[in-house]
């Protein structure tokens, strides 16, 4: 399992939940025969290929745990649950930044078990989760592509290119809030700075999942007739 799956599985086990690991190549027979929740923790770019393999699993069992803009991809699965990760895990390093939000039919029992197992989580109504989804995208668009473009860690980037960072964030939340039908919160940037403080050491040598992060912001902006020039410039400079 990857970092997210490994951490979530560990928390569930500590809460007394039986966990069956399912990887790309193993465990699918057990998955198909079961009736419990299925946490889908692959990276965003792996979802399009994986979704057809999940077609035989009841939608109500599925919990998609991805931080990128997968909302359009999952629009046809309204009965599934969603989760966003607000922790950082790299090997032995583990840092909780905020409680991780979940929404959907499995949100309440899942957040209760995960919190009991040591990963603080919160269950949200769909509208509130949409806002959390948009806000997290602002975070992801800053802690990723710009660091790869400038070749610096997050602390250096926020010190030297703070205006650019804020523009990346504001473009992302403005555009995606329009898509999600919510109003962006003016306090999100201050919350970003607070959440990012423990991660100033983070470096990104190769930005990943751009189609689901900064690229999604640019594409949605183009579709809606809005502007996202800073995200577009950073994407172009990396490519």
């Amino acid at each position: 399992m990857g970092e997210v799956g490994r951490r979530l599985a560990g928390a569930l086990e500590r809460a007394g939940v039986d966990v069956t690991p399912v990887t790309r190549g193993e465990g699918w027979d057990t998955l198909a025969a079961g009736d419990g929740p299925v946490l889908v923790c692959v990276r965003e770019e792996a979802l399009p290929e994986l979704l057809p393999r999940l077609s035989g699993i009841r939608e109500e069992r599925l919990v998609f745990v991805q931080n990128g803009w997968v909302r359009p991809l999952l629009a046809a699965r309204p009965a599934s649950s969603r989760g966003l990760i607000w922790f950082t895990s790299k090997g032995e390093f583990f840092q909780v930044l905020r409680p991780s939000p979940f929404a959907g039919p499995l949100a309440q029992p899942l957040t209760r078990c995960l919190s009991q197992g040591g990963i603080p989580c919160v269950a949200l109504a769909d509208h509130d989760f949409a806002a959390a989804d948009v806000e997290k995208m602002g975070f992801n668009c800053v802690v990723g592509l710009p660091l790869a473009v400038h070749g610096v860690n997050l602390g250096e980037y926020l010190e030297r290119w703070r205006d650019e960072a804020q523009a990346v964030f504001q473009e992302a939340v403005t555009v995606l809030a329009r898509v999600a039908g919510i109003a962006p919160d003016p306090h999100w940037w201050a919350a970003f700075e607070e959440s990012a403080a423990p991660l100033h050491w983070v470096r990104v040598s190769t930005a990943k999942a751009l189609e689901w992060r900064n690229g999604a912001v640019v594409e949605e902006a183009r579709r809606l007739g809005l502007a996202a020039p800073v995200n577009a410039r950073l994407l172009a400079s990396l490519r």
Side-chain angles (χ1 to χ4, degrees):
M1 292 188 290
E3 290 289 327
V4 171
R6 180 173 69 89
R7 292 293 183 180
L8 294 181
L12 291 172
E13 289 175 333
R14 289 190 295 273
V17 178
D18 291 331
V19 175
T20 301
V22 178
T23 66
R24 286 171 174 80
E26 298 178 353
W28 285 84
D29 52 346
T30 304
L31 180 64
D35 60 0
V38 179
L39 275 67
V40 183
C41 302
V42 299
R43 291 183 65 88
E44 304 95 302
E45 60 266 36
L47 264 184
E49 180 182 352
L50 182 64
L51 286 176
R53 296 189 67 184
L54 295 171
S55 59
I57 310 299
R58 284 190 300 107
E59 190 176 315
E60 294 80 5
R61 294 177 60 195
L62 298 173
V63 184
F64 292 94
V65 188
Q66 285 79 32
N67 281 345
W69 194 244
V70 298
R71 182 170 291 268
L73 194 60
L74 300 178
R77 299 174 180 266
S80 62
S81 300
R82 283 281 316 277
L84 300 170
I85 294 304
W86 272 107
F87 62 73
T88 298
S89 176
K90 295 182 183 297
E92 295 302 312
F93 178 82
F94 180 71
Q95 175 76 53
V96 173
L97 305 176
R98 301 188 204 174
S100 294
F102 285 77
L106 294 173
Q108 290 285 355
L110 189 58
T111 55
R112 183 171 61 250
C113 291
L114 288 170
S115 297
Q116 183 180 345
I119 296 181
C121 295
V122 60
L124 299 179
D126 288 344
H127 180 273
D128 293 332
F129 184 85
D133 202 4
V134 170
E135 182 187 6
K136 190 63 167 70
M137 275 292 292
F139 183 98
N140 292 338
C141 286
V142 175
V143 187
L145 172 63
L147 309 187
V149 169
H150 293 291
V152 295
N153 65 31
L154 179 60
E156 292 171 313
Y157 178 60
L158 293 176
E159 181 178 351
R160 297 171 60 185
W161 288 281
R162 190 175 188 281
D163 289 345
E164 179 186 274
Q166 191 165 8
V168 169
F169 185 94
Q170 295 299 342
E171 286 178 8
V173 299
T174 299
V175 170
L176 298 180
R178 178 78 65 88
V179 178
I182 63 163
D185 189 322
H187 299 103
W188 280 349
W189 173 252
F192 163 84
E193 292 189 296
E194 181 178 352
S195 298
L199 301 180
H200 280 191
W201 55 271
V202 167
R203 289 182 177 271
V204 177
S205 57
T206 303
K208 300 178 180 179
L210 292 178
E211 179 183 358
W212 309 98
R213 301 192 178 197
N214 306 75
V217 172
V218 173
E219 287 303 314
E220 293 284 21
R222 183 179 296 117
R223 183 176 66 83
L224 295 172
L226 300 175
V230 182
N231 280 277
R233 173 174 56 79
L234 289 168
L235 280 169
S237 64
L238 186 66
R239 290 168 180 165

